[in-house]
């Protein structure tokens, strides 16, 4: 029995059925599609259009889509061939079937996911309820809509694409199309905007139907826990982040502050606290009146110690721009939680941007849960199969390649120290470059890519660099990465969406490069996720092309140091510093084990975050249903008619029922929104302080759910009371309610962004305030003051004894 069958049997023995290896039912459907396709080859264009119209009519009369699949897929296949000269391969049809069945199709890089998605998209769009194809970035949404658009239009469907900067009418038209291409985050932001609109005109999205998620593992896992936020203006703070940044910048590591073993958290030492108190002249930093200053000092320390320029962010155009750790791209409209963002801006000497009050928020994970039917496609899903099924109910279906992958994945070269690794990387690139074989080098940060480029140029090797500082040149740079003699350096390859063709546009060079061995991919460190490493490897060996990959690792790499690879390697295999690589299977095994350990930690973090957020999402849905009913007029008798019948009837008699109902609608929407904003702030406070209940031997998760449920019950009552109070005191005339006098006007401006969730607390702060944000929650500081004083007394006592 071969290794593949043993792996499949092991999956069944372990009770893990997240991966669907048996494709026999898919092949049966494929055979029928192929048979029907033969009869369509002789049809005229008009005949094909009539067949598409007939399918659409049957679907909208209620025919089951499964019954239409064979005809629809055969039709798309023929039309794609005629319109684009691209006839979907059998494996692309198999992927299309998997997508229609609501699974995650794993297709290797270069296998044509974009075309495969057209098959289920057409079938599911026949009902007229719309299909969303959600991409990783706007370039891919724009490209794929333009590329595949002729197929859809031939078949009688219209196509829309959502981009930043579109007006409300343009967005409504794009969502009204039968096929809509958009980034997942932009669709999510529109969802938040819809939840805040005050008039039916603002309902730009119709009810969701079906979504196909491209680069699904990146969106469904790596990006899934990142909150999308819509915020409104609020007064800026009078504190001086620049002064705090200056003082914190003078502190010394290991004397005034230190980090935990994984360098995820930073904390002041007693000496550091003393220096802060002396420099700022604030007295006891832990005094009750200094709670805000304490927060800002901790944020400044996090910005100083844990966030690094050209790794976590770049500075461009006088602004901080965050770099996505998975793709190496600048992430537009993303910012750290407000206080930490301000601390980072102050650290870099930039103008501090005003913070905003959160009006609404949702994670991508919960947003995607609003689609009744969801599917996805990616090249790297198997290692995350359990998580994909647990969170989304998506089984992974590995689709075989059209041509067998012959890429050679060479064993890692592991070095004792970074300098030896760097020298070996330069030597390897130089050796390969002499032959003319193209080389793609994957780095993990902007800083790393630019340092490597400098070393290569010093060695006389020209190279192209693709990182967050020039990602607008992405498609062109990647397209040229396969030409003769090319050396391309790219920060992570996740979501790049562009294939590397051997020889580039010059087909005559292809055979020359094939003889040289195809594209050679070099990774100069391991990532926290094996999927990201596999995405880099997958750039070589597309469509049966030759290629090879190899990772260079040092035991001083950030990942290895942060997660203690030294503790994993048995003592007898540890070695003194040496220039040659460590050649022992035990060391390679431990490096791979460390990566699995980190993946497991991150999975547990995502599970925990989901456990805390699921209740809040249910509350948001319940409130949104009420709000939508009010907005559209579907709600039954309003609260005011029930609670204040005399005033209600009097105003109806004076100005007409329509005017009064409109006034009540405005009042109700305003207070639903304002109370939800207050509820979100309360939840953020509770989430920070809930871990204190451990001190009383209570379960934080249970207590969190209990207290949020109590708060939500009170929320509904509060909304009703405020509606009645405003209705009783507001001025209502024949022109309606006077919004400004009643204090009902919404924010004059809003903006959207993503919160980066990597902010963390040191060990003591985690015990006292929970996880997820460097800033102390104001409510947590106030309600846990006795514990803070006790901690302060304990550390002071330890310090005093140490001096004695």
């Amino acid at each position: 029995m071969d290794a593949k069958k043993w792996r499949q049997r092991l999956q069944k023995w372990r009770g893990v059925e997240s991966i669907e290896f048996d494709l026999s039912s898919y092949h049966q459907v494929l055979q029928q599609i192929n048979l029907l396709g033969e009869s369509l080859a002789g049809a005229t264009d008009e005949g094909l259009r009539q067949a598409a119209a007939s399918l659409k009519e049957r679907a909208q009369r209620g025919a089951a889509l499964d019954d239409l699949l064979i005809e629809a897929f055969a039709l798309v296949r023929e039309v794609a061939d005629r319109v684009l000269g691209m006839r979907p391969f059998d494996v692309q049809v198999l992927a299309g079937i998997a997508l229609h069945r609501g699974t995650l199709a794993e297709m290797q890089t270069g296998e044509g996911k974009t075309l495969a998605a057209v098959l289920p998209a057409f079938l599911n769009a026949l009902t007229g309820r719309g299909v969303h194809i959600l991409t990783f970035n706007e370039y891919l949404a724009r490209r794929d809509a333009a590329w595949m658009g002729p197929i859809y239009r031939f078949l009688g469907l219209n196509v829309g694409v959502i981009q930043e900067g579109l007006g409300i009418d343009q967005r409504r038209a794009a969502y009204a199309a039968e096929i809509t291409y958009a980034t997942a985050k932009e669709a999510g932001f529109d969802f938040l905007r819809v939840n805040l609109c005050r008039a039916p005109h603002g309902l730009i999205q119709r009810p969701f139907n079906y979504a196909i998620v491209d680069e699904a593992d990146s969106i469904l896992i790596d990006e899934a826990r990142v909150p999308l936020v819509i915020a409104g203006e609020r007064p800026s703070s009078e504190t001086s982040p620049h002064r705090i940044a200056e003082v914190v910048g003078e502190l010394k590591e290991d004397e005034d502050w230190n980090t935990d073993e994984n360098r995820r958290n930073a904390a002041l030492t007693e000496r550091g606290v003393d220096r802060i108190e002396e420099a700022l002249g604030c007295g006891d930093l832990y005094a009750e009146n200094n709670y805000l200053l304490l927060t800002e000092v901790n944020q400044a320390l996090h910005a100083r110690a844990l966030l690094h320029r050209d790794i976590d962010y770049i500075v461009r155009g006088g602004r901080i721009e965050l770099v996505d750790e998975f793709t190496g791209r600048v992430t537009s409209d993303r910012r750290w939680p407000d206080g930490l963002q301000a601390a980072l801006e102050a650290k870099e000497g930039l103008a501090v941007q005003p913070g905003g009050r959160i009006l609404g928020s949702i994670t991508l994970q919960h947003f995607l849960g609003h689609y009744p039917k969801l599917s996805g496609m990616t090249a790297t899903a198997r290692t995350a199969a359990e998580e994909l099924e647990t969170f989304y109910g998506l089984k992974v279906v590995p689709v075989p390649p059209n041509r067998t992958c012959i890429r050679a994945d060479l064993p890692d070269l592991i070095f004792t120290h970074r300098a030896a690794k760097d020298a070996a990387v330069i030597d390897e690139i130089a050796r390969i470059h002499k032959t003319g074989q193209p080389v793609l080098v994957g780095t993990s940060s902007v800083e790393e890519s630019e340092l490597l480029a400098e070393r290569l140029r010093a060695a006389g090797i020209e190279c192209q660099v693709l990182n967050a500082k020039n990602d607008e040149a992405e498609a062109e740079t990647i397209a040229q990465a396969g030409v003769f003699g090319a050396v391309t350096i790219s920060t992570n390859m996740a979501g790049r969406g562009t294939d590397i063709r051997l020889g580039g546009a010059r087909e005559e060079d292809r055979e020359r490069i094939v003889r040289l061995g195809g594209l050679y991919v070099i990774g100069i460190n391991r990532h926290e996720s094996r999927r990201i490493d596999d995405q880099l490897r997958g750039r070589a060996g597309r469509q049966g092309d030759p290629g090879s990959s190899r990772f260079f690792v040092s035991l001083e790499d950030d990942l290895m140091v942060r997660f203690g690879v030294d503790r994993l390697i048995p003592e007898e295999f540890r070695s003194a510093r040496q220039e040659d690589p460590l050649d022992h299977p035990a060391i390679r095994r431990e490096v791979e084990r460390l990566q699995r350990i980190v993946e497991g930690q991150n999975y547990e973090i995502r599970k925990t975050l989901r456990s805390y957020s699921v209740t809040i999402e249910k509350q948001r849905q319940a409130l949104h249903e009420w709000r939508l009913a009010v907005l559209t007029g579907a709600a039954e008798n309003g609260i005011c008619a029930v609670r204040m019948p005399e005033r209600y009837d009097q105003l109806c008699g004076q100005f007409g029922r329509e005017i009064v109902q409109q006034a009540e609608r405005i009042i109700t929407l305003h207070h639903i929104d304002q109370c939800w904003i207050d509820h979100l702030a309360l939840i953020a406070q509770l989430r920070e302080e809930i871990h204190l209940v451990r001190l009383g031997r209570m379960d934080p998760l249970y207590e969190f759910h209990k207290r949020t449920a109590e708060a939500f019950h009170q929320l509904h009552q509060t909304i009703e009371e405020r509606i009645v109070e405003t209705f009783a005191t507001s001025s209502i005339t024949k022109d309606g309610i006077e919004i400004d006098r009643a204090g009902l006007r919404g924010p004059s401006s809003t903006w959207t962004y993503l919160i980066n969730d990597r902010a963390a607390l040191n060990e003591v702060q985690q015990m006292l305030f929970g996880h997820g944000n460097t800033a102390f929650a104001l409510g947590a500081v106030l309600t846990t003051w006795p514990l803070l004083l006790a901690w302060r007394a304990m550390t002071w006592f330890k310090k005093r004894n140490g001096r004695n």
Side-chain angles (χ1 to χ4, degrees):
M1 184 178 291
D2 62 27
K4 179 180 177 181
K5 290 183 178 178
W6 271 114
R7 285 196 300 271
Q8 295 174 15
R9 179 170 290 183
L10 181 61
Q11 292 272 356
K12 292 182 180 179
W13 285 343
R14 294 172 58 195
V16 177
E17 298 181 351
S18 303
I19 304 176
E20 188 177 350
F21 288 105
D22 184 2
L23 302 185
S24 56
S25 66
Y26 294 79
H27 283 284
Q28 290 172 8
V29 177
L30 173 64
Q31 289 177 0
Q32 297 178 66
I33 293 169
N34 287 340
L35 284 173
L36 181 59
E38 294 175 4
S39 66
L40 291 177
T44 63
D45 287 358
E46 183 57 32
L48 296 178
R49 290 190 175 96
Q50 289 176 1
S54 173
L55 283 173
K56 192 172 184 179
E57 182 183 353
R58 289 160 61 190
Q60 295 185 5
R61 285 205 312 262
L65 294 183
D66 286 350
D67 295 339
L68 305 180
L69 185 149
I70 294 170
E71 295 172 71
F73 276 36
L75 185 59
V76 171
R77 203 177 201 183
E78 181 64 28
V79 170
D81 191 12
R82 295 192 189 189
V83 173
L84 298 182
M86 300 171 63
R87 187 175 187 83
F89 299 124
D90 282 357
V91 292
Q92 289 173 298
V93 176
L94 291 176
I97 298 168
L99 291 171
H100 169 67
R101 291 182 176 180
T103 66
L104 196 150
E106 184 183 69
M107 302 176 68
Q108 293 184 18
T109 301
E111 289 294 308
K113 293 190 291 292
T114 303
L115 182 58
V118 175
L119 297 154
F122 169 69
L123 173 61
N124 284 267
L126 291 172
T127 63
R129 292 194 291 268
V131 172
H132 293 177
I133 300 179
L134 303 178
T135 65
F136 196 81
N137 59 54
E138 286 203 345
Y139 162 72
L140 293 178
R142 192 168 54 246
R143 182 202 71 177
D144 293 354
W147 189 10
M148 299 293 116
I151 301 175
Y152 295 120
R153 286 188 284 273
F154 185 102
L155 293 166
L157 302 181
N158 53 10
V159 182
V161 59
I162 299 293
Q163 301 276 278
E164 286 186 44
L166 292 183
I168 187 170
D169 292 332
Q170 293 170 304
R171 287 176 183 270
R172 185 184 299 104
Y175 284 119
E178 283 126 328
I179 307 288
T180 304
Y181 284 85
T183 65
K185 72 171 187 178
E186 196 63 25
F189 284 141
D190 282 334
F191 180 77
L192 291 175
R193 294 184 186 102
V194 165
N195 287 342
L196 286 174
C197 67
R198 296 285 181 92
H201 179 74
L203 296 174
I204 60 174
Q205 290 176 329
R206 49 183 176 155
F208 292 157
N209 175 41
Y210 173 47
I212 301 172
V213 183
D214 193 11
E215 300 296 345
D217 58 331
S218 295
I219 293 174
L220 299 179
I221 295 178
D222 301 331
E223 294 280 325
R225 69 187 188 192
V226 179
L228 284 69
V229 168
I230 186 166
E233 62 223 338
R234 71 178 181 197
S236 59
S237 171
E238 295 180 1
T239 57
S240 174
H242 290 96
R243 173 59 181 152
I244 296 172
E246 179 184 355
V247 171
V248 170
E250 294 171 353
L251 301 181
K252 296 180 180 178
E253 185 174 5
D254 297 328
E255 295 181 16
D256 301 319
W257 58 271
N258 48 48
T259 62
D260 65 4
E261 62 179 353
N262 292 335
R263 293 193 69 83
R264 284 181 167 175
N265 310 298
L268 291 170
T269 64
E270 275 299 320
R271 171 186 154 111
V273 172
D274 290 344
R275 290 193 63 185
I276 292 286
E277 292 171 347
E278 180 181 355
L280 296 180
C282 61
D284 186 354
L285 184 61
Y286 295 90
E288 185 171 356
N289 62 317
N290 281 331
Y291 66 85
L292 182 57
L293 180 60
L294 176 62
T295 298
E296 292 173 340
V297 167
N298 277 282
Q299 290 166 335
L301 179 61
H302 190 110
R304 155 83 190 281
L306 304 178
L307 301 181
H308 306 288
R309 185 169 178 165
D310 289 342
I311 296 178
D312 301 294
Y313 64 93
I314 63 173
V315 176
R316 184 164 60 181
R319 297 177 65 89
I320 297 287
E321 296 186 338
L322 274 64
V323 177
D324 187 284
E325 63 178 314
F326 298 106
T327 67
R329 291 190 187 87
V330 163
T331 52
S332 59
D333 294 327
R334 182 177 297 190
R335 52 189 290 138
W336 300 95
D338 279 334
L340 187 55
Q341 181 79 12
L344 198 59
E345 290 164 342
K347 167 190 169 182
E348 295 293 344
L350 304 174
V352 175
Q353 303 297 316
R357 190 181 190 200
I358 293 178
L359 307 180
S361 175
I362 192 170
T363 63
L364 280 173
Q365 188 177 90
H366 289 310
F367 166 66
L368 292 169
H370 285 270
Y371 287 91
K373 182 175 178 180
L374 185 70
S375 65
M377 49 190 183
T378 184
T380 48
R382 265 179 263 195
T383 58
E386 181 183 353
E387 182 170 352
L388 289 163
E389 183 168 38
T390 300
F391 287 177
Y392 301 98
L394 292 174
K395 286 186 180 293
V396 172
V397 178
V399 179
N402 185 50
R403 295 178 182 172
T404 303
C405 179
I406 60 173
R407 184 184 65 242
D409 294 327
L410 306 173
D412 291 1
L413 292 181
I414 302 172
F415 297 83
T416 56
H417 56 293
R418 189 171 294 173
K421 181 191 79 170
D422 291 345
V425 168
I426 298 296
D427 289 345
E428 181 76 347
I429 294 173
R431 181 181 70 82
I432 298 296
H433 182 60
K434 287 180 182 177
T435 69
Q437 184 179 4
V439 180
L440 173 67
V441 187
T443 66
S444 62
S445 69
V446 175
E447 179 183 56
E448 197 170 49
S449 66
E450 295 187 340
L451 286 174
L452 178 60
E454 287 178 12
R455 294 191 186 106
L456 288 174
R457 287 166 184 152
I461 301 172
E462 280 304 311
C463 58
Q464 295 294 319
V465 180
L466 176 61
N467 61 31
K469 291 186 176 180
N470 61 357
D471 55 3
E472 67 277 3
E474 173 177 315
E476 183 180 351
T477 302
I478 290 296
Q480 296 301 313
V483 304
F484 182 82
V487 176
T488 307
I489 303 172
S490 174
T491 50
N492 299 314
M493 293 298 297
R496 292 290 180 196
T498 303
D499 289 338
I500 297 175
R501 295 181 178 274
L502 300 186
R506 293 171 57 86
E507 188 62 31
E508 60 269 26
D509 282 351
R510 184 180 184 281
E511 289 305 316
R512 182 184 185 188
I513 293 170
V514 166
R515 288 193 298 272
L516 291 171
L519 181 68
Y520 182 29
V521 170
I522 295 176
I524 63 173
N525 41 49
R526 285 286 195 168
H527 196 274
E528 287 191 10
S529 168
R530 285 171 293 170
R531 290 181 295 102
I532 308 301
D533 293 341
D534 291 341
Q535 286 165 3
L536 177 60
R537 289 190 198 276
R539 297 297 157 174
R542 63 177 293 279
Q543 281 288 323
D545 286 343
S548 54
S549 71
R550 168 162 265 164
F551 280 81
F552 288 67
V553 180
S554 98
L555 301 183
E556 291 181 346
D557 288 347
D558 180 61
L559 181 68
M560 302 296 138
V561 173
R562 282 196 294 124
F563 293 95
V565 72
D566 282 341
R567 297 193 303 271
L568 298 178
I569 297 175
E571 189 170 349
E572 63 268 26
F573 298 124
R574 296 177 191 173
S575 174
R577 288 166 72 92
Q578 63 182 53
E579 300 305 310
D580 294 331
L582 299 167
D583 188 17
H584 199 287
I587 297 176
R588 291 196 192 96
R589 281 198 304 270
E590 294 309 323
V591 168
E592 291 171 358
R593 185 158 76 96
L594 178 140
Q595 203 171 21
R596 291 194 297 273
I597 290 171
V598 177
E599 286 179 336
Q601 286 184 9
N602 289 334
Y603 178 32
E604 289 303 317
I605 289 171
R606 290 191 289 269
K607 283 205 302 185
T608 301
L609 288 171
R610 180 181 174 86
S611 298
Y612 277 90
S613 64
V614 66
T615 298
I616 309 307
E617 174 57 17
K618 289 179 180 177
Q619 293 176 354
R620 192 203 60 73
Q621 289 181 27
L623 206 65
H624 174 63
E625 288 176 7
W626 180 21
R627 191 186 193 284
L628 187 62
V630 171
L631 180 66
T632 59
E636 296 181 359
N637 292 335
I639 295 166
C640 299
V642 176
R643 300 272 291 270
M644 300 189 69
E646 292 182 5
R647 175 169 171 77
Y648 190 88
D649 291 341
Q650 177 192 353
L651 291 171
C652 286
Q654 284 183 276
F655 308 115
R657 185 170 298 275
E658 186 175 342
I659 292 291
V660 179
Q661 287 178 338
Q662 176 65 12
E664 183 178 7
R665 185 177 300 121
I666 292 171
I667 293 170
T668 302
L669 292 174
H670 175 82
H671 287 303
I672 288 176
D673 292 344
Q674 292 303 307
C675 288
W676 179 246
I677 292 167
D678 294 340
H679 187 67
L680 287 177
L682 176 66
I683 294 305
Q685 170 187 320
L686 179 60
R687 190 163 42 227
E688 292 293 335
E689 67 183 26
I690 197 64
H691 294 270
L692 283 169
V693 302
R694 289 177 182 160
L695 301 176
R697 299 185 181 277
M698 292 186 287
D699 176 17
L701 182 59
Y702 172 80
E703 288 298 316
F704 179 80
H705 289 320
K706 174 185 172 184
R707 297 182 191 186
T708 52
E710 292 170 351
F712 189 68
H713 177 74
Q714 181 62 39
L715 175 71
H716 202 284
Q717 182 177 338
T718 301
I719 292 172
E720 290 193 359
E721 290 173 353
R722 292 185 181 179
I723 291 170
V724 172
E725 180 183 355
T726 303
F727 186 77
T729 58
S730 296
S731 173
I732 299 175
T733 69
K734 61 181 177 62
D735 297 320
I737 191 168
E738 296 185 16
I739 292 176
D740 290 326
R741 286 184 60 183
L744 301 177
R745 185 157 312 269
S748 60
S749 65
T750 62
W751 62 95
T752 56
Y753 59 89
L754 292 89
I755 293 179
N756 195 302
D757 64 346
R758 288 175 53 204
L761 295 171
N762 68 41
E763 200 167 317
V764 174
Q765 291 166 340
Q766 286 176 1
M767 182 188 73
L768 293 176
F769 305 108
H771 300 268
N773 192 335
T774 297
F776 289 86
L778 171 58
V781 173
L782 294 176
T783 58
T784 60
W785 205 253
L787 286 168
L788 275 175
L789 293 176
W791 179 52
R792 173 65 168 160
M794 178 185 71
T795 51
W796 176 84
F797 182 75
K798 287 170 65 178
K799 170 183 170 184
R800 179 181 177 186
N801 284 350
R803 287 177 178 171
N804 292 338

